[in-house]
Amino acid sequence: MKKIALVLAIMTAMPAMAENYIDDEYDYYEYSDASEKKYETYAGIRIHKNESLALKYDIQDDGNSTVRDDNFGFGAIVGNRLNDHFKLEFETSYVGMEKSKRANKYDFDIWANMLNVYLFQEYEQTVAPYAGVGIGFASIWGDVKTPVAHMSDSVFDLSYSVMVGVNFALNDRIDLNLGIKYQYYGEVEHKAHNKTFATTDVDATEFYFGAVYKFGI
């Protein structure tokens, strides 16, 4: 009789034990499911088309002239998606311009290093429109030849930018992004005979295309 009671007790306890075991196993596999893993850190390249790289050349007390050019630049980015709506990114980029207007010849090289912050909204884990702002520093080398002077000057100046675009996730590892950006690079002072002869403000409106690779750091 005691054996029968023991067997009945074991049979009664088995469903509860099995349920707990299944729940524990489910929690374990749910936690370790590789498909849930997110790759938040990324690195990539960016190519930008300058629709209007502008040099506003301002001669002291003698008017100004704006030179514009359409050309290409390139850069690299490294960033991290902080949460479901914000990401932080470091961008370094180069653009150059060589242009003549009237009797003046302009040759500029610009290297910018920016810290960008983006606000985005992702849909279906595939498409994510975004808006962003950036702040950093630009090194500008400017060479200006005029009928009265040849000036070669450089500056390390504060730079800022605003941008909007769309990010497309091709898969868990590769993203593409398209956007448009306005960037103010800075101002160069041109000196002749140890005096400031002119200044040049440098800014640009750019369309850009980029690709990044995501990894789990």
Side-chain angles (χ1 to χ4, degrees):
M1 194 69 179
K2 292 182 179 180
K3 292 183 179 180
I4 294 175
L6 179 61
V7 170
L8 289 175
I10 293 174
M11 292 178 64
T12 302
M14 283 181 65
M17 293 172 61
E19 184 177 356
N20 290 335
Y21 177 80
I22 292 172
D23 289 342
D24 290 343
E25 286 295 300
Y26 177 79
D27 291 341
Y28 173 79
Y29 285 112
E30 183 179 38
Y31 177 78
S32 61
D33 186 359
S35 65
E36 294 296 324
K37 186 175 181 180
K38 292 182 179 180
Y39 301 102
E40 307 290 3
T41 306
Y42 60 88
I45 59 173
R46 183 171 288 170
I47 299 173
H48 46 97
K49 171 71 166 65
N50 297 291
E51 290 299 309
S52 180
L53 178 61
L55 307 176
K56 185 179 179 182
Y57 179 69
D58 188 0
I59 302 175
Q60 301 293 297
D61 303 320
D62 197 19
N64 60 68
S65 177
T66 300
V67 182
R68 300 183 184 276
D69 195 18
D70 299 341
N71 62 359
F72 287 91
F74 61 88
I77 53 177
V78 177
N80 185 273
R81 196 164 88 162
L82 303 178
N83 55 41
D84 289 339
H85 297 289
F86 290 94
K87 62 182 179 179
L88 187 66
E89 176 184 279
F90 172 75
E91 176 184 11
T92 181
S93 64
Y94 167 82
V95 64
M97 176 177 176
E98 190 171 351
K99 190 84 171 178
S100 296
K101 185 174 182 180
R102 300 188 180 95
N104 295 344
K105 294 183 178 180
Y106 306 90
D107 187 0
F108 276 70
D109 294 287
I110 304 129
W111 196 283
N113 294 283
M114 308 294 293
L115 185 65
N116 303 325
V117 179
Y118 298 95
L119 171 65
F120 66 91
Q121 177 62 53
E122 191 173 50
Y123 298 96
E124 301 296 331
Q125 297 183 338
T126 304
V127 179
Y130 63 83
V133 296
I135 189 166
F137 293 93
S139 297
I140 307 173
W141 297 269
D143 187 270
V144 181
K145 294 180 180 179
T146 75
V148 296
H150 179 194
M151 298 162 289
S152 294
D153 302 278
S154 63
V155 70
F156 185 65
D157 204 1
L158 181 68
S159 179
Y160 59 85
S161 62
V162 293
M163 68 285 286
V164 294
V166 181
N167 192 79
F168 302 93
L170 299 185
N171 53 45
D172 287 343
R173 293 288 191 172
I174 305 296
D175 282 4
L176 300 179
N177 61 80
L178 299 170
I180 182 172
K181 174 172 70 173
Y182 168 80
Q183 181 153 350
Y184 176 78
Y185 286 104
E187 180 186 78
V188 184
E189 290 187 355
H190 304 289
K191 296 185 179 294
H193 308 295
N194 295 322
K195 294 182 179 180
T196 300
F197 178 78
T199 60
T200 300
D201 279 306
V202 185
D203 67 354
T205 301
E206 306 170 349
F207 291 98
Y208 60 83
F209 169 79
V212 303
Y213 178 80
K214 298 176 288 185
F215 46 96
I217 294 180

